Amino acid sequence: MATTVITGRDISLSFTGGTDIEAQATSAVLTKTNVRETYQTLDGEAYKTVNVEGSFALEMLADWGKTSSVCEALWSAAETPETEISVTLTSVTGAEFVFPILPEYPTAGGSGTDAQTVSFTFKVARGEVTETFA
């Protein structure tokens, strides 16, 4: 069986409300982790998973003032910080990940002639990620 190489350009990304995130995103990484406690017993180590957490790291070009601006939509959403934004990340191979994030305020500004960018690390609400593998 041949290996399929998947790059960042092989994923599609959408937010609640259909904002045009793909054209602005330069990097998007979903991470889901088990939070475990370790106990030292007379027999050795024992483990207990106490929580599941997730984060979504997004780097993008700033799009302030653009129609359907992602930065402006996130700023508005962050005004109600407990509002969840649904994100769908789909790979070209058909794997789909749907998860709720809690909004953060984007930064504004930049330096010199560099493109204005914003970086986020969103908390995935309750660590909930629904995976569908094709």
Side-chain angles (χ1 to χ4, degrees):
M1 177 197 303
T3 299
T4 301
V5 177
I6 304 170
T7 69
R9 289 187 175 170
D10 293 324
I11 62 172
S12 62
L13 190 61
S14 64
F15 277 14
T16 301
T19 51
D20 184 17
I21 188 70
E22 271 181 60
Q24 301 304 118
T26 58
S27 174
V29 178
L30 170 65
T31 304
K32 186 172 178 176
T33 55
N34 291 314
V35 179
R36 291 187 180 100
E37 291 183 357
T38 303
Y39 302 97
Q40 296 297 330
T41 71
L42 298 177
D43 257 355
E45 290 186 349
Y47 307 96
K48 169 74 175 152
T49 299
V50 295
N51 199 11
V52 176
E53 295 180 348
S55 64
F56 178 59
L58 175 67
E59 295 180 20
M60 58 177 272
L61 300 171
D63 67 346
W64 297 103
K66 176 184 168 220
T67 302
S68 297
S69 165
V70 176
C71 287
E72 292 171 17
L74 288 171
W75 188 283
S76 294
E79 294 289 323
T80 311
E82 309 315 321
T83 300
E84 294 179 4
I85 300 169
S86 180
V87 179
T88 302
L89 187 143
T90 308
S91 169
V92 70
T93 59
E96 181 178 82
F97 304 87
V98 179
F99 51 96
I101 60 170
L102 299 171
E104 297 293 341
Y105 288 102
T107 57
S111 62
T113 59
D114 295 341
Q116 292 183 28
T117 60
V118 292
S119 297
F120 301 95
T121 301
F122 295 105
K123 179 172 183 61
V124 174
R126 298 166 303 282
E128 291 178 1
V129 178
T130 303
E131 313 85 17
T132 306
F133 303 114

